[in-house]
Amino acid sequence: MDTTVEAGPWGDPEAWRPLIERVVAAVAVRPELDVPDAAELSLLLTDDAHIRILNATWRGRDAATNVLSFPSAGDDEDPGPLLGDVVVAHETTDREARADGRTFEDHFAHLLVHGLLHLFGFDHEDDAEAEEMEALETEILAGIGVADPYAQADD
């Protein structure tokens, strides 16, 4: 796993390594994902300005977002060993965490799980896909001690 801080107030990427490794390990052990041996991924920690450019370029949406995923595998391919890239924006993550009354770290963990699941082909384009993805996110997060982010959103 390669973690790079490109922009924003993330500080030293090594400070985030323990949380990132916990999240990645919790995702990697999920049997339904069939994570390949020696899998690799890139994590870019950035700011709203850069993620807005990426979002506009790759998704046609001229707005900042919290997380973007760029799977290496095509739609009909199994992922790996190079899984792809996940990009997280600090300001949006912080704003959403505050709005939901969550810690930055817990929300970051949720976004990282969410982004990683996208690398394995999970999506939320329709209600059935969203329910499946949210349930898996909730299980993974519970395994590392993070409360269900969707339960808070429903309150």
Side-chain angles (χ1 to χ4, degrees), residues 40-143:
E40 298 178 31
L41 72 100
S42 173
L43 175 61
L44 180 65
L45 305 177
T46 193
D47 62 7
D48 278 2
H50 187 237
I51 209 164
R52 180 179 181 172
I53 293 167
L54 292 173
N55 203 20
T57 301
W58 296 102
R59 298 180 66 224
R61 297 180 182 175
D62 188 17
T65 189
N66 49 22
V67 63
L68 291 172
S69 297
F70 300 95
S72 293
D75 289 340
D76 296 329
E77 299 175 332
D78 291 332
L82 180 58
L83 301 176
D85 305 306
V86 175
V87 183
V88 182
H90 193 282
E91 295 94 335
T92 298
T93 301
D94 187 49
R95 188 171 48 255
E96 291 173 347
R98 290 175 191 267
D100 292 342
R102 304 175 66 209
T103 67
F104 181 92
E105 290 78 7
D106 282 359
H107 190 45
F108 173 62
H110 175 216
L111 295 176
L112 187 51
V113 168
H114 185 89
L116 290 169
L117 291 180
H118 277 306
L119 297 182
F120 288 92
F122 284 82
D123 215 334
H124 42 84
E125 293 299 317
D126 63 44
D127 289 344
E129 288 178 342
E131 287 179 22
E132 179 184 13
M133 189 171 181
E134 290 172 8
L136 185 52
E137 289 172 8
T138 300
E139 286 179 33
I140 292 167
L141 290 168

